[in-house]
Structures are given as structure tokens and as C-alpha cells.
């Protein structure tokens, strides 16, 4: 009883000091694509992230030349001349991924996500060459998330400030994390975003941003953390989320 009281008091002190003692949550980067029979941003990659109990699974979304939404990472698909924001959706979805699936539409993806309620969707909206295209992309993504009733299970991430602010305008309650790494937490707070989702390089250069973010009530996510050494560093730094290509490796470390 005395020990419990002491631990509770210690926890309160730690909370007051801004030191986080909760473990970071695991997010599968581009889904759990390093698993067998998976591929980056495939439907299987979300299913596999869900199957191992990831907190979240990340995807990348593009607006095609004919105003459709598709899920893929690279702007230009390797080994082809197909550019995501310059090609028609029909050309893009004809591409076969290494696991035999075709590149999915966002609609197909969200249909699957809606059937797997235990895993949060971390949806990256890719930057486009002009703001009008970005605005249209955001409008369509908002509509799709509403259609599948996923607003309370989705975090939005983006490199483009324009995209972040457009999403915020349409969905003031949805958590939005900024990816570009060039803004300190106090600027993110001023913009009304939920937090930062920065590269390992940026957060190793600015480890103080983690504490600053927490003091402002913001969250911190870091990508792409794949080695045990890097995982240990960011667990100890007290980030809230770790985005990794190897979610089972991170889960095993967190159990130790
Ligand atoms: Mg991404």
C-alpha cells in the first residue's frame, strides 16, 4: 500500500515534470510490408499490422490526374513512367505490387480499415504541385473518411502546411501531425495542429522538441525507426509514437 502510494506520487511528479513514462505506440510504416506476402501500402499490409496488434498503420494517398484517390508511396512507380499525380487512376491501379495485389484505391483501402476497428489509420496526404489540387485532394479524402465513418480512428499527416490547414478547416477535431521537420513545437501549437511527426535526423538534432511538445500538450511521432539502437534511443527520449518498417521488432523491445 505504501509502495503503491509512493509510486503514484512518483508518477505525478514525473507527469508534472513533463517526462513521459508511457511507452510509445507502434505504427507500421506503409503498413506491415516487411511481413511475408505483404507489400508497401497494400491491403495485406494493413491486415498484417492489425493481426499483430499495431496501434496504427500508415498509408500514403495521392490525387490522380483524373481526380481519384489511390494508395502508394513513390510519386513515380519504380520501373515505370507512371507518375501518381499525372496518370489516370485506371493506369495506376493496373500496377501489380510485389505481393500480387494491384495498387489499391483509397475507397478499397478504407473499406478494409472499416472492418478492422482495432487499428488506427495514419493517413499521409501527399503534397501536390499546386494548392488547388491539394485542396481538392483534401476535400475528397474528408468525404471518403466520412463515408466509412473513420473520423475518430484516423490521424492525418502531411508535409504541406497548406494540406494541414485545409484538413483543419474541414475537420477541426481530427489529429493532424506535421511531417516536414522545420517547425518547432511552439509554431505547431500556434497552427492548432496535434503534434509533430518528424524524421529521426530532425529529432536527434532537436531532442529538446520532445519535452517542449509535451509541455504544449502536443504529440510526437518519429520515422522511420528500424534498428534496435534507434528504437532504444527514441523509447528513452519519451516520444509518443514510433513509426517503423519492423513493428514486431519494436513490440519485442517494448516487452523487455
Ligand atoms: Mg508516408
Amino acid at each position: 500500500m505504501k509502495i503503491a502510494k509512493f509510486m503514484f506520487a512518483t508518477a505525478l511528479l514525473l507527469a508534472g515534470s513533463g517526462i513521459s513514462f508511457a511507452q510509445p505506440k507502434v505504427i507500421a510504416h506503409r503498413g506491415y510490408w516487411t511481413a511475408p506476402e505483404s507489400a508497401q501500402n497494400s491491403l495485406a499490409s494493413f491486415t498484417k499490422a492489425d493481426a499483430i496488434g499495431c496501434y496504427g498503420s500508415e498509408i500514403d494517398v495521392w490525387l490522380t490526374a483524373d481526380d481519384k484517390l489511390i494508395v502508394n508511396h513513390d510519386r513515380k512507380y519504380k520501373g515505370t513512367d507512371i507518375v501518381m499525380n499525372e496518370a489516370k487512376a485506371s493506369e495506376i491501379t493496373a500496377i501489380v505490387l510485389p505481393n500480387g495485389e494491384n495498387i489499391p484505391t483509397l475507397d478499397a483501402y478504407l473499406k478494409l480499415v472499416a472492418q478492422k476497428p482495432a487499428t488506427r489509420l495514419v493517413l499521409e496526404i501527399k503534397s501536390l504541385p499546386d494548392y488547388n489540387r491539394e485542396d481538392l485532394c483534401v476535400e475528397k479524402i474528408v468525404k471518403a473518411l466520412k463515408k466509412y465513418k473513420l473520423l475518430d480512428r484516423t490521424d492525418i499527416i502531411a508535409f504541406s502546411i497548406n494540406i494541414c490547414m485545409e484538413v483543419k478547416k474541414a475537420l477541426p477535431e481530427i489529429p493532424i501531425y506535421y511531417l516536414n521537420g522545420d517547425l518547432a513545437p511552439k509554431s505547431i501549437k500556434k497552427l492548432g495542429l496535434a503534434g509533430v511527426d518528424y524524421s529521426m535526423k530532425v529529432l536527434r538534432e532537436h531532442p529538446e522538441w520532445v519535452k517542449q511538445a509535451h509541455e504544449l500538450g502536443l504529440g510526437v511521432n518519429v520515422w522511420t525507426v528500424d534498428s534496435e539502437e534507434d528504437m532504444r534511443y527514441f523509447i528513452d527520449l519519451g516520444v509518443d509514437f514510433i513509426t517503423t518498417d519492423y513493428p514486431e521488432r519494436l513490440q519485442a523491445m517494448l516487452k523487455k
Side-chain angles (χ1 to χ4, degrees), residues 58 60 73 124:
E58 191 242 1
D60 304 283
H73 181 267
E124 178 177 347

Side-chain angles (χ1 to χ4, degrees), residues 16 18 25 35 41 48 68 104 114-116 129 137 144 149-150 154 162 185 200 204 207 217 235 243 255:
K25 295 181 171 71
N41 279 304
K48 287 170 192 287
K68 303 279 188 347
Q115 292 160 9
K116 302 203 175 291
C137 183
K149 300 186 167 55
L150 291 170
T154 302
N162 175 61
M200 288 199 287
R204 277 185 182 273
I235 292 166
T243 301
K255 271 187 207 143

Side-chain angles (χ1 to χ4, degrees), residues 67-175:
D67 302 346
K68 303 279 188 347
L69 298 167
I70 60 91
V71 181
N72 183 60
H73 181 267
D74 292 352
R75 184 167 169 273
K76 187 176 180 183
Y77 197 82
K78 68 172 186 318
T80 73
D81 289 325
I82 299 173
V83 173
M84 298 301 137
N85 59 312
E86 292 172 4
K88 284 186 179 170
S90 57
E91 278 179 85
I92 296 166
T93 56
I95 295 173
V96 180
L97 297 169
N99 71 338
E101 277 181 45
N102 290 73
I103 287 186
T105 61
L106 182 66
D107 198 69
Y109 216 101
L110 296 186
K111 197 177 280 178
L112 171 73
V113 173
Q115 292 160 9
K116 302 203 175 291
T119 303
R120 209 168 161 84
L121 179 66
V122 179
L123 192 159
E124 178 177 347
I125 306 178
K126 301 306 269 186
S127 305
L128 295 166
D130 84 77
Y131 286 172
N132 290 329
R133 298 297 293 163
E134 287 189 347
D135 294 356
L136 180 62
C137 183
V138 168
E139 187 188 316
K140 286 179 170 285
I141 287 171
V142 168
K143 218 170 165 182
L145 289 172
K146 283 182 177 167
K147 177 181 167 190
Y148 288 100
K149 300 186 167 55
L150 291 170
L151 293 181
D152 57 353
R153 296 179 42 205
T154 302
D155 294 333
I156 300 292
I157 61 176
F159 282 91
S160 158
I161 281 286
N162 175 61
I163 286 176
C164 290
M165 300 321 285
E166 274 301 298
V167 173
K168 190 170 163 56
K169 226 191 291 169
L171 301 171
E173 302 302 321
I174 207 163

